[in-house]
Amino acid sequence: MASKSPATPPPTLQRGKACLRCRKRKMRCDGAKPSCQQCVRAKKPDACQYDDGKGKTRTQLLRENIERLEQRIRELEDPEYTSPSVTLYDPHGHRRSESSSSSIAGSPASTGFSASHSPFLSATNSPQSTWLQGVPSPSPTPFTDAFQEEPQPTVELAQMLVDIFSSHRHQCLFGVHMGRLRDSFTRPVMEQRHPVLTNAIFLWACYISRPGPLSQHESHYLNRSLEALTDALQYHNRVLDVIQASCLLSMYFLSNGRALEGSYHANAAASLAIQCGLHGAMLSRPAFETTSAIPSFRLEPAKDAIEQGERILTFWQVFVLDRCWSVVLQKPVTIPDSPDGYTSILMPWPQEMEEYESGQIDEIHSFSTARSFFEGQASNLVGGFSPLALRVKASALFERAHHLSANWDQPLALSSAFTDDFQTLEHTIARFIPTLIPVHQLDATIPDDKHAFIATHTLAHAAMIHLYYPFGHEDPVSYDKCLRAARCCVSIIKHIADADYEFLDPIIGPCWTCAVDTLIRELNIMESSWPLINSADVRNEIGTLLYAMTNLSSRFPLLGYSVAKVQKRLSGL
């Protein structure tokens, strides 16, 4: 009897040819198109995307589709309008026009856009100018008639805008299930997100499309979101929409250099998060149930694990915004984290949305997550190593280092309390950095993780700079540690490709600014010494940082002022 021949092993897929979902989950992919078997079995064929560099990505195709729809609608609205026969668009050329990037504090250039001629409106009614005042009576609709009568994007276009924003949501740490968000546009108004949030998402979709034709609608969706904020605040069951929208609005203003408006919305998001008890999102805990001081702001229990996960992610979104940008804005943090029950953050570390979708939520014990991280408690060693969790930890280190150094007073330099806090923070940063993926391995990670780790690495080294910079003038050890951290920021930049810049977190810009300040201090010392020391290496490092800052400023005007200031300082050397 003939023996059976051994089964032929499946062919090994060439490195880099697996779909993005399999690469992220480290699963074997067969490379089948349009959907591999892993994605088909998981009932996620639409999530199967390939990035082999040979074809256009889904986002690029969506942008082109929107442009075609815009042209068609303009033709229908204006018989005299003639569309160009061919439209060329560089999906990676998101350079702003000179008028929009030259002014740091200015808003996007006016385009003469009117709501009545928007290609994203399915009706032509003008917005109502009056709003309901006071607390509304119970109503089956989640928002006022003003928004129901307001022209809204069609379902198809709304979903396309969401898809464009989806690939950039990590820049804002936006923690909403994107599938549910897309599907909500097909449901009745009661089941949709409030316009304050959806218009903020549409705003970001237009913003990241600069200088493409979609960007001309920024001012429209910005105004719509700000106007909707007044209405949303009347409904306590819309508080999460308000918090999430406030975060998006804050990031929009801050990245455009509009600090006062950005600070306002960041403070509002943080205050509301604490007021509604989002800092203890595990609502099943009796201890948390008693923390809400105002019953009308008490959050209803989450309907399922996904909704619970969205609340956890939303809190950490607010936390990161509060911690990171309080440093840039030179203001105290809004979210406290004290040992007291009400102001203590009782929250599990954030996880990937796919884990919440499968019901995997880390159980929170009797510890405060953020404080235990600084105190090095053993309970903190459980979990907290997702890219987002590491990003949260780096943000906490960044703010703590700035707070400690900013409150240092020369006469109290030798106080035991200051020394203990300083050494504890120094050891925490030293323990944290080795938990990150090594910088030389960044290119081997999937894009979303790469962009997250670039921000996390940069924040950690910026924390070290903030911690040691005030002491560098007199202490050679502090000076060397500060300089070493700045050079680590330079080494990270060498792994950032041009295509990565449009996906980077805007907070990286201020971190690069403190790194270049450190290197300029070194350059001043070197070029004022005698005998003269060759400063070519330091100038090259400054040039690398300046190139990265200039590249990022073309996407986020916030950095325009810093770039100009650095160039002016260098011209005087």
Side-chain angles (χ1 to χ4, degrees):
M1 184 176 179
S3 60
K4 294 183 179 180
S5 59
T8 304
T12 303
L13 197 64
Q14 184 178 352
R15 182 177 179 82
K17 298 298 183 182
C19 74
L20 296 179
R21 182 174 180 274
C22 289
R23 286 163 62 183
K24 183 174 184 179
R25 292 174 169 268
K26 297 180 175 60
M27 300 186 300
R28 183 182 295 276
C29 181
D30 59 9
K33 296 182 180 180
S35 302
C36 71
Q37 288 301 312
Q38 294 280 17
C39 293
V40 171
R41 281 197 293 268
K43 297 182 180 179
K44 293 183 176 292
D46 293 339
C48 189
Q49 299 184 45
Y50 292 87
D51 185 14
D52 53 10
K54 296 181 180 180
K56 297 180 180 179
T57 64
R58 186 167 179 241
T59 300
Q60 295 170 26
L61 294 173
L62 286 168
R63 286 183 179 135
E64 292 180 358
N65 195 15
I66 287 178
E67 288 185 37
R68 287 193 295 269
L69 288 170
E70 285 182 355
Q71 297 291 350
R72 180 57 180 155
I73 294 174
R74 289 175 185 174
E75 292 173 358
L76 294 173
E77 291 181 337
D78 186 0
E80 298 181 359
Y81 176 81
T82 302
S83 62
S85 57
V86 178
T87 300
L88 298 179
Y89 176 63
D90 179 6
H92 296 295
H94 291 256
R95 301 275 182 177
R96 289 172 172 76
S97 62
E98 183 178 352
S99 61
S100 64
S101 61
S102 60
S103 176
I104 303 173
S107 59
S110 174
T111 60
F113 171 76
S114 64
S116 61
H117 289 86
S118 171
F120 300 102
L121 304 180
S122 58
T124 57
N125 296 332
S126 60
Q128 291 190 10
S129 58
T130 58
W131 301 89
L132 296 180
Q133 301 296 325
V135 179
S137 58
S139 170
T141 56
F143 22 87
T144 63
D145 292 339
F147 279 108
Q148 295 179 52
E149 297 181 9
E150 187 77 21
Q152 299 293 332
T154 64
V155 173
E156 182 183 11
L157 286 173
Q159 291 178 338
M160 286 183 177
L161 291 170
V162 168
D163 289 338
I164 292 174
F165 168 74
S166 179
S167 61
H168 293 262
R169 68 188 185 279
H170 300 293
Q171 291 171 282
C172 315
L173 301 183
F174 188 67
V176 170
H177 190 280
M178 301 308 293
R180 286 189 175 182
L181 179 61
R182 290 184 86 258
D183 293 342
S184 67
F185 293 104
T186 64
R187 296 173 182 166
V189 175
M190 290 179 60
E191 301 178 24
Q192 295 182 20
R193 297 292 187 128
H194 194 278
V196 68
L197 177 58
T198 56
N199 282 295
I201 293 172
F202 300 157
L203 165 67
W204 263 88
C206 297
Y207 175 37
I208 59 183
S209 298
R210 291 182 182 177
L214 195 61
S215 63
Q216 66 179 306
H217 309 299
E218 271 185 57
S219 59
H220 171 70
Y221 287 116
L222 173 60
N223 292 333
R224 297 257 308 149
S225 184
L226 292 174
E227 291 169 356
L229 185 60
T230 304
D231 178 79
L233 287 171
Q234 300 180 72
Y235 304 91
H236 73 273
N237 62 333
R238 294 289 167 176
V239 65
L240 287 177
D241 290 349
V242 172
I243 294 172
Q244 292 160 351
S246 296
C247 288
L248 294 180
L249 290 170
S250 177
M251 286 293 293
Y252 173 81
F253 285 126
L254 291 171
S255 62
N256 277 287
R258 298 165 65 171
L260 187 60
E261 295 159 289
S263 177
Y264 173 85
H265 289 283
N267 290 341
S271 298
L272 279 176
I274 295 299
Q275 188 173 0
C276 72
L278 199 60
H279 56 311
M282 306 304 287
L283 292 176
S284 60
R285 292 173 55 85
F288 174 75
E289 289 287 352
T290 62
T291 61
S292 181
I294 303 179
S296 62
F297 274 84
R298 185 189 297 272
L299 290 174
E300 298 294 332
K303 297 177 181 177
D304 53 27
I306 292 179
E307 189 172 302
Q308 185 70 283
E310 288 182 343
R311 295 183 181 187
I312 295 171
L313 294 176
T314 297
F315 170 78
W316 289 119
Q317 177 190 19
V318 179
F319 179 89
V320 169
L321 178 65
D322 181 52
R323 288 302 190 268
C324 286
W325 289 95
S326 66
V327 174
V328 181
L329 297 169
Q330 300 288 314
K331 71 178 188 66
V333 297
T334 304
I335 298 178
D337 188 20
S338 67
D340 300 330
Y342 179 70
T343 56
S344 179
I345 299 175
L346 298 172
M347 178 72 63
W349 292 114
Q351 302 166 249
E352 298 292 337
M353 181 57 73
E354 291 80 5
E355 295 180 84
Y356 297 128
E357 193 172 4
S358 61
Q360 302 174 18
I361 298 182
D362 283 344
E363 290 296 332
I364 156 179
H365 304 291
S366 58
F367 67 91
S368 178
T369 311
R371 283 192 302 109
S372 66
F373 170 58
F374 288 109
E375 296 169 1
Q377 297 177 8
S379 57
N380 186 58
L381 300 178
V382 180
F385 294 101
S386 68
L388 181 55
L390 295 172
R391 172 74 171 80
V392 170
K393 294 178 181 179
S395 302
L397 293 173
F398 180 63
E399 187 279 327
R400 181 67 66 91
H402 174 265
H403 175 80
L404 192 61
S405 61
N407 287 277
W408 172 70
D409 190 7
Q410 190 77 26
L412 302 177
L414 298 179
S415 67
S416 58
F418 180 86
T419 301
D420 291 344
D421 290 342
F422 189 94
Q423 291 179 348
T424 298
L425 181 58
E426 180 185 23
H427 293 158
T428 303
I429 298 175
R431 289 197 317 267
F432 174 73
I433 293 178
T435 65
L436 305 177
I437 183 173
V439 173
H440 68 271
Q441 296 181 12
L442 286 175
D443 295 329
T445 60
I446 64 173
D448 285 348
D449 287 351
K450 178 184 179 181
H451 303 145
F453 280 118
I454 288 173
T456 302
H457 272 284
T458 303
L459 280 167
H461 293 297
M464 195 70 80
I465 295 174
H466 277 290
L467 187 63
Y468 289 107
Y469 193 90
F471 312 100
H473 297 285
E474 299 179 358
D475 180 21
V477 175
S478 297
Y479 185 92
D480 289 341
K481 290 183 177 181
C482 190
L483 185 60
R484 194 179 309 124
R487 284 174 169 156
C488 286
C489 291
V490 175
S491 66
I492 296 169
I493 292 174
K494 296 177 181 178
H495 293 272
I496 302 177
D498 287 342
D500 292 326
Y501 281 93
E502 65 174 305
F503 296 98
L504 295 182
D505 192 319
I507 193 62
I508 293 178
C511 294
W512 286 343
T513 300
C514 69
V516 79
D517 286 342
T518 302
L519 291 172
I520 289 178
R521 180 172 69 174
E522 169 72 357
L523 182 63
N524 286 329
I525 293 175
M526 294 179 69
E527 297 194 343
S528 62
S529 62
W530 186 263
L532 293 177
I533 303 174
N534 188 349
S535 60
D537 289 343
V538 177
R539 283 189 171 273
N540 288 336
E541 291 168 335
I542 294 175
T544 299
L545 277 166
L546 192 57
Y547 168 81
M549 293 169 65
T550 303
N551 209 343
L552 194 61
S553 69
S554 68
R555 293 153 175 85
F556 303 121
L558 162 75
L559 269 180
Y561 173 76
S562 298
V563 170
K565 186 177 179 181
V566 171
Q567 291 174 334
K568 183 177 180 180
R569 291 177 64 184
L570 290 175
S571 64
L573 294 177

